[in-house]
Amino acid sequence: MKLTNHQFIEAAFIFEKENGNRHDKYEKEVIKESNLLHLKPSELKTIIINGLNSGLYTKNNERTSAYWALSKTNDKSIIPEFKNWLKKEFNLKNETPIFQLLIALDRFDESAFDEKRNSRYFDETELNFRDAKNYLKNN
């Protein structure tokens, strides 16, 4: 099953709801109208991970959305997957997916960004590449 970018948004909201986060009216409506509600959050997570690992998502924006959605699971057991994806994206020099993976790892309490860095923006390409390289080297 290949998810669309809109479905990744739905998945992220479902994961957040599973983790006890409260949603605003818009987010509740997205979840209510979701065609993913027949899936358990754990099944949804597995579908996304398998899609990423099988190469189903060929576009950078698809993978970026998938990484973002998975970062909402709060499931630290998938940190090794994030590390593997970071290595892959780093080797391909894919700027936006690298940034999203750094954010995801940071969300899981991994020190993905340099501790002296005082900003985190997707367009700080050199800094993001530097931090990804250092993270991969040290982990």
Side-chain angles (χ1 to χ4, degrees):
M1 175 180 183
K2 183 175 181 178
L3 275 65
T4 65
N5 281 331
H6 185 75
Q7 287 174 316
F8 285 126
I9 294 169
E10 294 170 355
F13 292 164
I14 290 168
F15 294 143
E16 287 179 335
K17 183 179 179 187
E18 177 75 8
N19 291 320
N21 293 1
R22 292 188 172 188
H23 290 105
D24 63 22
K25 184 179 178 181
Y26 166 75
E27 293 165 333
K28 287 178 183 176
E29 193 63 32
V30 169
I31 292 170
K32 181 180 169 187
E33 294 177 4
S34 172
N35 62 354
L36 302 175
L37 287 176
H38 66 284
L39 298 168
K40 295 177 186 175
S42 61
E43 294 171 324
L44 188 54
K45 177 181 68 175
T46 299
I47 288 168
I48 296 170
I49 291 170
N50 289 344
L52 286 164
N53 288 337
S54 70
L56 185 61
Y57 301 106
T58 57
K59 296 177 183 172
N60 283 355
N61 68 329
E62 292 173 328
R63 291 191 311 282
T64 300
S65 294
Y67 302 144
W68 171 75
L70 288 172
S71 76
K72 302 294 186 169
T73 64
N74 290 338
D75 181 359
K76 290 186 177 188
S77 73
I78 60 175
I79 289 173
E81 298 285 359
F82 280 104
K83 289 178 182 179
N84 289 334
W85 297 324
L86 180 61
K87 184 177 182 179
K88 177 184 170 188
E89 300 291 358
F90 182 81
N91 289 336
L92 294 171
K93 299 186 181 347
N94 290 329
E95 298 171 19
T96 305
I98 287 171
F99 175 71
Q100 186 57 56
L101 285 161
L102 290 171
I103 292 289
L105 287 163
D106 192 63
R107 186 172 281 149
F108 288 132
D109 298 324
E110 291 285 302
S111 298
F113 291 99
D114 186 286
E115 63 185 33
K116 295 175 185 159
R117 188 167 171 184
N118 59 10
S119 63
R120 295 177 182 169
Y121 297 105
F122 75 94
D123 61 352
E124 294 178 326
T125 306
E126 288 181 32
L127 292 174
N128 293 334
F129 274 95
R130 179 204 64 194
D131 290 350
K133 182 179 179 179
N134 288 336
Y135 178 82
L136 291 168
K137 185 174 91 174
N138 295 321
N139 294 283

